[in-house]
Amino acid sequence: MLDRRAVLAGLAGMLAMPVQARDFSYVLRPVPVGDGIWVIRGADAAIAMANGGAIANITIIATAAGAVLVDCGPSLRYGQALKAAAEGVTGRPVTRVYLTHLHPDHIYGAGAFDPAIVAATPALAALLKTEGAGFSDGMYRLLGDWMRGTEFAPPGRIIEGGEEVTGGRRLRLVPLSGHSPADLAILDDRTGILVAGDLVFHDRAPSTPHARLGPWRQALTALKALDHRSTIPGHGPVDPTPATAIDQTRDWLDWLEASLRAAVADGRDMVEAGNMAIPPRFARLAAARYELQRSVSHLYPGIEAELLPRIDPRRP
């Protein structure tokens, strides 16, 4: 019997063949950003055939015991390329992979690693158990042969907050929520570099498919209060300052919520809301219009339900 994902991958590959004159290999270029820390930058775009879904920033941390990864990319192929890249720059095998949240551009590379070294918080592990495999069909439809062989691999190591010391390197684990129901940020004690996951975006509009904006703002307050020197966001360039990217993310979320609530109050429909003017201060944010329109689809129904309650009695 043919596997459904294999069929979808084949169909997607045939439909996109004119733009697939490639061998579906990821070319990963780790860039040093601190003492024993590298970042592989994701494309500042939506998940697409053109980028193989490699849109998330991935962090590599060197320790005496081995390489530590924060997130692992969108596919088995990516995870395999990431493993080779991490071992190449650190000279040691990968001994830990931390997952920051459930979104597929961050998790599906886990299939390239022993599940025993893939770590998630209890809340994230529970979410991945119910939601992790569900993203797979959509990713196969979007990416076709980039996803060949990719299957969801649940984490085998459950971590709490606090500190973990690996190969002499102290990492502070900070469980939060807001961008998703279970987010994880990691602070490297040696360099003061904060790996913020998708709680922080920089010069790239934030995405909101599982967002709760109130808790997200609380998480940004908690991150800003940490004693850190620079920030690696989930998407966008590394912020060499402690708070520029954090403040930019908060500014967008504040504007987004206020604007969507005003649009509902003014009686605008979702199409009108998605085409509203974006303030000039956000002009340099990649994917701003795209993420605004996605956020309308994610958030507008809830705001309408809150501000425009039913006035007719509900029938049993």
Side-chain angles (χ1 to χ4, degrees), residues 115-205:
I117 71 170
V118 179
T121 63
L124 178 55
L127 275 172
L128 291 172
K129 185 175 182 179
T130 58
E131 304 289 339
F135 292 113
S136 182
D137 284 353
M139 292 291 282
Y140 270 82
R141 288 187 178 97
L142 286 169
L143 299 178
D145 216 1
W146 286 108
M147 295 293 290
R148 183 179 295 273
T150 302
E151 295 288 344
F152 175 67
R157 180 179 176 87
I158 304 303
I159 54 171
E160 303 288 347
E163 294 182 345
E164 283 201 341
V165 179
T166 301
R169 195 139 200 168
R170 187 182 305 275
L171 302 175
R172 180 175 174 187
L173 311 180
V174 187
L176 294 163
S177 68
H179 172 72
S180 77
D183 296 295
L184 177 67
I186 297 175
L187 177 59
D188 175 57
D189 181 67
R190 182 183 302 175
T191 62
I193 292 176
L194 173 65
V195 187
D198 278 11
L199 287 167
V200 177
F201 287 66
H202 188 208
D203 290 348
R204 203 275 191 196

Side-chain angles (χ1 to χ4, degrees), residues 47 53 55-56 71-74 99-109 124 127-128 131-132 135 139 152 178-183 197-199 201 207-211 216 235 294 298:
I47 293 172
I55 67 170
D71 289 327
C72 51
L99 303 181
T100 63
H101 64 293
L102 78 162
H103 291 151
D105 50 318
H106 296 258
I107 65 171
Y108 278 120
L124 178 55
L127 275 172
L128 291 172
E131 304 289 339
F135 292 113
M139 292 291 282
F152 175 67
H179 172 72
S180 77
D183 296 295
D198 278 11
L199 287 167
F201 287 66
S207 62
T208 60
H210 294 91
W216 195 343
H235 298 264
R294 290 183 76 214
H298 302 148

Side-chain angles (χ1 to χ4, degrees), residues 69-87:
L69 304 178
V70 184
D71 289 327
C72 51
S75 67
L76 175 63
R77 291 179 189 265
Y78 188 100
Q80 292 168 337
L82 174 61
K83 181 179 181 181
E87 292 176 353

Side-chain angles (χ1 to χ4, degrees), residues 219-243:
L220 291 172
T221 298
L223 292 179
K224 192 170 180 178
L226 295 174
D227 183 17
H228 66 286
R229 299 187 184 95
S230 60
T231 304
I232 299 174
H235 298 264
V238 173
D239 177 9
T241 76

